Every structure is written in structure tokens, then in C-alpha cells.
Amino acid sequence: MVEENNNMLLGVRDKPPAVNWVLLAIQHVCAMFGATILVPIVVNTTAGADVLSIPVALVTSGIGTLIYLLCTRGRSPVYLGSSFAFIAPMVAGYALAGKGSVFTALMIVGLLYFAISCIIRVSGKAWINKLLPPVIVGPMIMVIGLSLAPTAISEIGLDLPVIPLENLIVALVAFLTTAFLAVRGKGILRVIPFLIGIIAGYIVAAALGMVDFSQTLAANVIEIPKFYLPFMHYDLNFAAILTIVPIALVTIVEHIGDHKVLSEIIGRDLIEDPGLDRTLMGDGIATFCAALLGGPANTTYGENTSVVGMTRVASVYVIGLAAIIAIIFAFSGHLTALLTAIPAPVLGGISVLLYGFICVNGLKILIQNQVDFNNTKNVVVVATMLVLGLGGATLALAYGDLSLAMSGMSLAAIVGIVLNLAIPEEKHE
């Protein structure tokens, strides 16, 4: 039976024919693949160490999606992938206290989602809008995007006295391919511009002799992902927790926004059925389990929402099969080696657009919600958040042997929330 929206070819609970089922699932895998693998690649490049594993990110993405579908009782066709919002906090957390502290903090993020879902079930969701209005969420997302900008510049080599010509060529190919498809692409190509951009840049880099395929040829056909188990190697570090966990406040708002968009596509309010408490619980348990295995935090993927709108198929069976395919891909040794060998200029060309898109999304939130910047209170809140978030501010407190530190995005988020609640509304004459 097709769901409430008559425009949908297949509803949430419908099973497509076997061949279509596989083809539709592959489209969803293509949509999530580029972004999901880009998170561990960017984190590792920025940190200068192997903090995250690409195969583990794929596995935890698939497992997280299946957990979400169970928690929502198969009533919400959402795919969960690696969250970009936590890239900079994870790098900062690693610099503070190592990998164990990063995954412990991400597990706490999952627990925070779960706790908030329980509060919503009891008291409703109106308080979230008061705690996190657009004037807080908009600049927070802008800080997330702009704080990563130096990484893109460094990957291309634009911070060098003389940039190698091949770096510039590869970065331009990746950048222009992604930009063209994002603007003029049709069908599935418009949904996966970053993935196609990576492939185009990779091909050109290989032609210029910038790719070493020796590891790919030496890889095994099947390789077990290198799971990292925080309960065996974890490190509870409060500075890392305060750096990473507050970003969850922003991703919760992102979670709500993505579900509202999908609700409009399928013609049923997912915030009411299965309910925000269930969707947030699924996201939280998925993130907890991802961190438990050494993967990045999960989040709802707008790319897959676009696939639902484009194909007019909202079947959770398709989403579930896509999750299983992603898990299978993670065990391919050759695929992992190919992805690990992506040259930095390819990533840099992609990242110029990617980080810019993240920043502009924050700006769109301010514009779409008509945040009034004639109101001095709004100016104070946004200006303070941008300066603290982008200026590298750090607040460290020590009492005896106990020390706490907040920096960058986390400090900006907390200060912004406090200012917005504490400053009285402006009175006009």
C-alpha cells in the first residue's frame, strides 16, 4: 500500500521488485559513499595521523542505519552517514588526548541524543526551539565550515611559496567537476557531485603519476576492518569531551531539519510519526555504536533524502539493503587501498566547495528564518560566536588536579546559548 502521499511511487513499507530493489539501493550507496568516506580522510589528513578508518566508517554507517530503522519501527526512510560537523572537534580532541578520548566523547554524544529523546517523550519538543533558535544554529554551522577552510588550502598546496603545477591541475579538475554537476547535473549525478568530483580528480592525478597503486595491488580481496574498541582502550578526558560533545546541540537541529524536509517529500510528518523521540533515539544509539567500534558520529544524510525525492521511492527496504551493501563494501581490501591512495590535491579541490557549502547552509538558516540584524541582541550573539569560533579562543579552568578546557566551536556554542538566554530583548522607543 502506498503511503499518504500519492506522488510517491512506493511508500515507506512497500517492497519493490527484486531487480529494482538492488538498483535503487545502489543509488543510495552512491549518494552516501562520497561524504561518508570523506570524513575519515579529512580527519586523518588534518590530524596527520590515522584517527579514523574508512572501512569502519562504512560499517558503522550501515549498522547505524539498520539500528535507526529498528528504532523507528520501519516508519522513516532515512540513511545515516558520517557527520561533517564533528570533523574539527575530533581533530582537536585527538590533539588533546588521543584516539581513545575522541571515541569516548562520541559515545557520550550518542548518550546525549538518547537522553534528549527521553526528555522529548515526556515533555515535548518546544524547549529545543527556545534553547537552539536559528540565531544560534546558523552561526554555529558557519563556524563548522569556515574552521575547516585552512585544511582545504593546505591540501591543494596554496599555502606553499610555489604551488606545484600538477597540484593545481588536479584540484581544478576536482573542483570544476563538482561545481558543474552541483549546478547543472541531472538525475543521480546532481545528488553525487562530490563523488564524481573525486573520481575525476583521481583519474587526472593517476595520469600525472601522482598515485601510488602498489598498496592496492598488494591488498587482499577481503580484509577485516580495523575496529577500535574504546571499552578496551578508552580514555576519559574532560577537555576532549567539552570540545566534542557540545556540537551535538547543532546536529540535533540538523536532525530535525532533515526530517522536516523528508516529511514534505513523502507526505507524512515524521516528527509526529514515528516521532522525534524515536528518530533521535535511533540516531543516538547509532552514534554510540559507531564510536564503540571506532567510527565517526552518524547523522541523517540529505543526499539520500534527495534520492528519495528523485526516485519517488520511500521504501525502508531499499534503505536497509543500501546499508547492507555499504557494510559489504567495507570488507573489500582493494577498495580500501584505492580510497587511501587519493592524492591530497583531489581532496583539497573538493573541500573548497564542501566547506563553503557547510558555511553557506548556516547563512541560509539565518536568511530563511529572517533573523533580524537590526536587533542589537542578535548582532551581539552572532558576532561573539563567530569571533570565538574562528579566532581559536580557548577557555581553560583548573581546580587542584582537575582541569577543564573548551575551545573553538564548543566554546562558541555554549557562549552563544548563554548570551541568547541571558541578554534581555531590545526595547524600542
Side-chain angles (χ1 to χ4, degrees):
M1 184 178 83
V2 176
E3 295 289 328
E4 289 88 335
N5 186 356
N6 293 327
N7 292 322
M8 298 307 297
L9 178 62
L10 286 175
V12 173
R13 295 286 184 90
D14 291 335
K15 291 183 180 180
V19 175
N20 290 346
W21 194 345
V22 174
L23 292 176
L24 289 164
I26 290 175
Q27 288 188 63
H28 278 282
V29 172
C30 290
M32 55 70 63
F33 194 82
T36 296
I37 66 168
L38 201 53
V39 170
I41 291 172
V42 172
V43 169
N44 295 346
T45 303
T46 308
D50 290 332
V51 181
L52 296 175
S53 161
I54 294 173
V56 173
L58 287 171
V59 168
T60 54
S61 167
I63 292 175
T65 299
L66 295 175
I67 289 173
Y68 173 91
L69 294 177
L70 287 173
C71 288
T72 56
R73 300 176 297 180
R75 299 286 293 170
S76 178
V78 164
Y79 193 96
L80 299 183
S82 305
S83 173
F84 281 89
F86 288 94
I87 290 178
M90 283 191 287
V91 173
Y94 173 77
L96 285 169
K99 285 203 291 188
S101 64
V102 170
F103 298 130
T104 302
L106 291 178
M107 284 194 288
I108 293 174
V109 168
L111 294 175
L112 178 62
Y113 283 6
F114 184 84
I116 291 176
S117 73
C118 293
I119 295 172
I120 289 173
R121 174 168 290 207
V122 174
S123 63
K125 54 183 181 291
W127 61 274
I128 292 182
N129 296 327
K130 183 177 181 179
L131 184 69
L132 298 168
V135 73
I136 298 295
V137 177
M140 197 62 245
I141 294 176
M142 293 172 69
V143 168
I144 289 170
L146 291 176
S147 64
L148 293 166
T151 301
I153 301 303
S154 176
E155 287 172 336
I156 297 172
L158 291 174
D159 56 346
L160 300 174
V162 179
I163 179 174
L165 180 59
E166 59 270 23
N167 282 23
L168 189 59
I169 293 172
V170 169
L172 276 174
V173 168
F175 173 87
L176 293 174
T177 302
T178 305
F180 178 80
L181 290 177
V183 176
R184 300 295 300 273
K186 298 188 182 296
I188 188 66
L189 292 179
R190 190 165 186 170
V191 177
I192 56 172
F194 291 105
L195 178 60
I196 303 300
I198 291 174
I199 294 172
Y202 203 153
I203 291 172
V204 173
L208 294 174
M210 298 173 63
V211 183
D212 180 9
F213 290 109
S214 59
Q215 294 297 321
T216 304
L217 296 173
N220 297 318
V221 176
I222 298 176
E223 288 190 7
I224 305 298
K226 296 179 181 178
F227 297 109
Y228 188 86
L229 302 177
F231 280 144
M232 296 175 62
H233 315 106
Y234 75 95
D235 180 17
L236 184 63
N237 183 280
F238 287 104
I241 289 171
L242 288 175
T243 299
I244 295 173
V245 173
I247 305 303
L249 298 175
V250 177
T251 53
I252 286 173
V253 177
E254 180 184 49
H255 174 104
I256 296 172
D258 285 342
H259 281 79
K260 285 183 177 179
V261 171
L262 185 57
S263 295
E264 293 176 4
I265 292 174
I266 69 174
R268 178 163 52 78
D269 189 353
L270 298 174
I271 303 299
E272 298 298 329
D273 178 21
L276 183 59
D277 56 329
R278 286 188 172 274
T279 64
L280 201 56
M281 181 184 296
D283 204 342
I285 296 175
T287 293
F288 180 88
C289 292
L292 184 67
L293 296 174
N298 282 322
T299 190
T300 51
Y301 260 23
E303 294 90 337
N304 295 87
T305 298
S306 298
V307 173
V308 171
M310 181 186 69
T311 60
R312 297 191 301 125
V313 173
S315 173
V316 292
Y317 294 99
V318 170
I319 299 294
L321 180 57
I324 294 170
I325 293 173
I327 294 171
I328 294 172
F329 276 5
F331 288 84
S332 170
H334 292 299
L335 178 62
T336 300
L338 276 173
L339 295 174
T340 305
I342 297 175
V346 176
L347 302 175
I350 297 294
S351 298
V352 168
L353 274 176
L354 179 64
Y355 303 154
F357 278 8
I358 294 173
C359 175
V360 171
N361 280 335
L363 186 60
K364 282 170 60 179
I365 287 176
L366 295 174
I367 295 171
Q368 290 172 349
N369 290 277
Q370 299 180 335
V371 174
D372 182 11
F373 283 106
N374 289 318
N375 184 331
T376 308
K377 174 183 175 179
N378 291 339
V379 175
V380 169
V381 171
V382 174
T384 304
M385 291 180 67
L386 290 176
V387 171
L388 291 178
L390 298 174
T394 300
L395 177 63
L397 302 173
Y399 182 78
D401 295 331
L402 180 64
S403 62
L404 301 175
M406 289 184 291
S407 62
M409 287 181 283
S410 302
L411 182 61
I414 292 173
V415 170
I417 291 171
V418 172
L419 285 177
N420 188 58
L421 293 175
I423 299 176
E425 292 295 333
E426 184 177 4
K427 291 185 177 181
H428 298 280
E429 295 295 335

